[in-house]
Amino acid sequence: MTPPTSPAKRLPASIWALGFVSLLMDVSSEMIHSLLPVFLVTTLGVSMLTVGLIEGAAEATALMLKVFSGVLSDWWGRRKPLAVLGYGLGALSKPLFAIAPTVGLVVTARLLDRVGKGIRGAPRDALVADLAPPGMRGAAFGLRQSLDTVGAFLGPLLAMGLMLLWANDFRAVFWVAVIPAALCVALLLVGVREPERAASAVRTNPIRRENLRRLGGAYWWVVALGAVFTLARFSEAFLVLRVQQGGLPLAWTPLVLVLMNVVFALGAYPLGKLADSTRHTTLLAWGLVALIAADALLALSDRGAAAWLGIALWGLHMAMTQGLLATMVADTAPADLRGTAFGMFNLVSGVALLVASGLAGLLWDQLGASATFGAGILFATLALAGVLVQSARHGRTPKPPATQG
């Protein structure tokens, strides 16, 4: 466990800039993604299984690509250029959603967007860990996640307002999303400074057997836990579709992601700071309890207070666990292998997400929405059992190895 944050320390300006880069890209992405499931179903006429497969394939593509960009950033010793490339591809994908006449071009745009996310994700997370002062890693990841999530609720709010203003014109809203994506790339280019690496540092292949052996048991436990978490946490598209099924008008469906992300944004930074001074397994366990409660409420109801409370609890569990899992990856990996470590973590999670979203769509089509959220309860309970067993065995988060830097 990392020592408590010193009040005299401040997070570097580049970490704040990375947070606002994430905010701008999420405004752009969520303007589109908050409407995309409904656009696919109501305008293009696809099935729930197809929505699940598109979402799962898109997100899995992003997560699996992170392993390659993470390894490359460790070998090259540079992280910012890969982040610029990834955010740039994300920005280039946005106009394709606006002009797509069929589901084929939507899939192409979604995959291009997620390829960009895959390229930037691991180098950006490793860059946050490189920039964070000692004892402030949880706060650094929490801040970036919080600002990212502010964008994730501003985007749906903008989408909802524009849908009401422009009489449900999906494509016009998608065009507006191009603007914050372009601003995001500009801010990354001028606002983020990568820390210098020692000129004498020897570059080796990060995925050589002797290097991979340095990623010890504590790290691989975090990877396994993250995979089970991902099985329990399928695409948020199914939250949108659940309340739309309950009669929520099309223009108001972005409220689902607004509520979830407001809770997520408000909680991510303080809970990230808390992770610097408390047992990680305790926060993980409570996060899973929140997820189980969210799934139970959404399994029972598609409208009213129960459904909206379930969505809020979903956001709370994200605030408690997402920055924490990133902190645990950084804590259990050597400094010169952080990009590789984040990449491996996200590769395994990517496979799990593809399975989870496909299974969620299949269960919805065959057995109904309640079966989808019931499966989430099952996987979240398995993850909770693993966390409790680990906590009982060790009494704390597994001890990280000695790191460089």
Side-chain angles (χ1 to χ4, degrees):
M1 185 165 59
T2 315
T5 301
S6 166
K9 294 178 181 176
R10 296 289 183 271
L11 291 172
S14 287
I15 289 181
W16 282 91
L18 281 170
F20 282 104
V21 165
S22 294
L23 184 155
L24 288 166
M25 183 55 78
D26 255 39
V27 167
S28 175
S29 294
E30 295 305 325
M31 285 183 71
I32 294 172
H33 299 162
S34 63
L35 297 173
L36 195 60
V38 180
F39 175 70
L40 286 168
V41 172
T42 63
T43 302
L44 300 183
V46 306
S47 69
M48 293 295 186
L49 175 58
T50 302
V51 172
L53 290 175
I54 291 172
E55 289 298 311
E59 295 299 334
T61 298
L63 292 173
M64 287 187 284
L65 276 173
K66 287 181 181 181
V67 69
F68 302 107
S69 61
V71 168
L72 180 57
S73 77
D74 285 338
W75 177 82
W76 188 10
R78 300 284 306 280
R79 310 203 193 274
K80 179 179 172 180
L82 290 168
V84 171
L85 174 62
Y87 279 107
L89 286 175
L92 288 173
S93 74
K94 298 302 187 276
L96 298 181
F97 290 101
I99 65 175
T102 64
V103 69
L105 191 54
V106 171
V107 172
T108 300
R110 190 81 170 95
L111 290 176
L112 180 61
D113 177 56
R114 298 298 90 175
V115 166
K117 183 175 182 180
I119 291 172
R120 69 185 180 250
R124 181 206 59 213
D125 289 342
L127 183 56
V128 171
D130 292 346
L131 289 164
M136 297 188 72
R137 194 169 286 152
F141 279 109
L143 175 67
R144 194 208 66 80
Q145 189 71 71
S146 180
L147 289 172
D148 177 279
T149 310
V150 168
F153 72 74
L154 288 179
L157 276 177
L158 282 170
M160 184 176 64
L162 293 174
M163 286 284 281
L164 290 169
L165 182 64
W166 292 337
N168 294 337
D169 188 340
F170 288 98
R171 297 183 192 278
V173 177
F174 294 167
W175 275 117
V176 174
V178 174
I179 299 170
L183 292 174
C184 154
V185 177
L187 176 59
L188 177 60
L189 285 169
V190 302
V192 176
R193 299 185 63 180
E194 184 166 0
E196 295 293 331
R197 296 207 172 194
S200 60
V202 179
R203 295 177 184 173
T204 62
N205 181 357
I207 54 175
R208 289 172 61 180
R209 184 177 301 174
E210 56 268 30
N211 279 332
L212 292 179
R213 285 199 190 105
R214 293 164 58 207
L215 298 172
Y219 166 76
W220 291 110
W221 178 80
V222 176
V223 170
L225 179 65
V228 182
F229 250 103
T230 305
L231 287 172
R233 205 189 69 248
F234 41 78
S235 170
E236 287 86 10
F238 292 99
L239 305 184
V240 176
L241 292 169
R242 181 58 165 155
V243 295
Q244 198 264 332
Q245 181 186 61
L248 189 68
L250 289 181
W252 294 96
T253 53
L255 276 178
V256 174
L257 296 184
V258 170
L259 175 60
M260 186 197 80
N261 287 309
V262 165
V263 176
F264 190 177
L266 291 175
Y269 182 51
L271 288 166
K273 290 181 70 176
L274 183 62
D276 287 327
S277 58
T278 194
R279 289 170 58 182
H280 292 165
T281 49
T282 300
L283 288 179
L284 285 173
W286 281 111
L288 283 161
V289 169
L291 178 57
I292 291 168
D295 279 327
L297 288 166
L298 289 163
L300 292 171
S301 180
D302 59 7
R303 69 195 73 195
W308 291 102
L309 178 58
I311 292 163
L313 286 171
W314 191 285
L316 179 62
H317 112 267
M318 297 282 282
M320 297 180 78
T321 61
Q322 296 312 287
L324 176 57
L325 285 169
T327 300
M328 292 171 69
V329 171
D331 283 352
T332 54
D336 61 318
L337 291 178
R338 281 181 187 143
T340 302
F342 278 108
M344 291 287 188
F345 175 83
N346 288 300
L347 171 63
V348 175
S349 295
V351 174
L353 184 60
L354 179 59
V355 172
S357 292
L359 179 61
L362 181 62
L363 288 172
W364 191 305
D365 278 343
Q366 297 298 318
L367 300 174
S370 294
T372 294
F373 291 100
I377 293 172
L378 174 61
F379 285 118
T381 301
L382 289 174
L384 178 59
V387 170
L388 294 176
V389 167
Q390 183 72 17
S391 182
R393 283 179 177 173
H394 297 277
R396 53 180 172 82
T397 302
K399 183 179 180 181
T403 61
Q404 302 175 26

